[in-house]
Amino acid sequence: MASDTCPDCKALVSDLAAHERWHSRLVSDLAKAVEKEIHRSART
């Protein structure tokens, strides 16, 4: 089985497209969590 290296995190992955989708989801989830925390802190 061939492996590719992720250009962002240098992980060896067998499905680079799926790994890139995982990265996109991770960044999106983090951005939403940060935005939620900013709004929460602004209310207190």
Side-chain angles (χ1 to χ4, degrees):
M1 178 187 303
S3 293
D4 292 312
T5 302
C6 173
D8 296 321
C9 70
K10 308 302 183 225
L12 289 177
V13 295
S14 59
D15 185 348
L16 187 57
H19 184 77
E20 288 173 344
R21 287 190 302 274
W22 176 82
H23 269 276
S24 295
R25 176 66 189 264
L26 179 65
V27 170
S28 175
D29 288 352
L30 285 171
K32 287 175 188 174
V34 168
E35 185 174 350
K36 184 177 178 181
E37 180 61 21
I38 288 169
H39 289 306
R40 187 194 66 76
S41 335
R43 287 190 300 248
T44 60

